Amino acid sequence: MAEEEQKKVTENVTTVSEPTPSAPAPVEKPVDAVDVAPQEKPVAPPPVLPSPAPAEEKLEDSKAIVPTIAKEAGEEKKEGSVNRDAVLARVETEKRMSLIKAWEEAEKCKVENKAEKKLSSIGSWENNKKAAVEAELKKMEEQLEKKKAEYVELMKNKIAQIHKQAEEKRAMIEARRGEEVLKAEELAAKYRATGTAPKKLFGCM
């Protein structure tokens, strides 16, 4: 009967220590048959050793650590994925900003070139118009100078003609004056010769 009790204790210890193969619980030596045999009463089974409980707790802790490590690994993976997405989003944003800036610079350059072309065209138009007006003004000045010369020549001719007419009139008056003076002298000589007086006296007054 003692041997059966010993077998039961051994089986209980083996059954309890099976869950922890990595850390087997210490098992007390089986009670010798010599010590049990004299007893008449059946020997009560020894109490369960406390070592299996920590082993089970350790197993549970190890089982709990595994999900924690997996969770941390998942979080790290998720964090790495988030960081990768953030980097990709930043790269895309920078690329988009670069494209927008390049487009803006191209548009500004296009606007500047267009404005410069129009300004150059306006400058050419202005210069051509000014040149045409100046040429017309110069032509008018030449025409005016020519007409002025013609008018000056015409006025000179008119002045010469007037002077000529005045000289002719002066000459006629001088000739008539000479004739009248000569006639008056002849009449005075005749009156002296005849001793008569002229009928009209003081005619010059």
Side-chain angles (χ1 to χ4, degrees), residues 126-185:
E126 182 182 9
N127 292 332
N128 292 332
K129 289 294 181 181
K130 284 182 178 180
V133 171
E134 289 176 357
E136 187 177 359
L137 178 61
K138 187 176 181 181
K139 185 178 180 180
M140 290 177 68
E141 287 177 352
E142 291 176 355
Q143 291 177 355
L144 289 174
E145 289 294 331
K146 185 177 180 181
K147 288 183 178 181
K148 182 180 177 181
E150 292 176 356
Y151 280 119
V152 169
E153 186 68 23
L154 182 62
M155 293 301 106
K156 287 181 179 179
N157 292 335
K158 285 185 176 181
I159 291 170
Q161 188 176 3
I162 291 169
H163 182 69
K164 182 180 178 181
Q165 291 176 356
E167 288 296 326
E168 290 177 353
K169 289 180 179 182
R170 289 190 187 97
M172 290 175 64
I173 291 171
E174 289 292 333
R176 184 176 293 179
R177 183 179 66 179
E179 291 177 355
E180 290 180 355
V181 168
L182 181 60
K183 185 178 180 181
E185 288 177 354

Side-chain angles (χ1 to χ4, degrees), residues 83-109:
N83 292 335
R84 183 172 176 273
D85 293 340
V87 171
L88 291 175
R90 186 170 67 253
V91 170
E92 288 295 328
T93 302
E94 291 176 356
K95 184 177 179 181
R96 185 167 60 254
M97 291 297 106
S98 178
L99 290 174
I100 291 172
K101 186 176 181 181
W103 176 85
E104 182 182 6
E105 293 296 330
E107 288 297 318
K108 286 182 178 179
C109 183

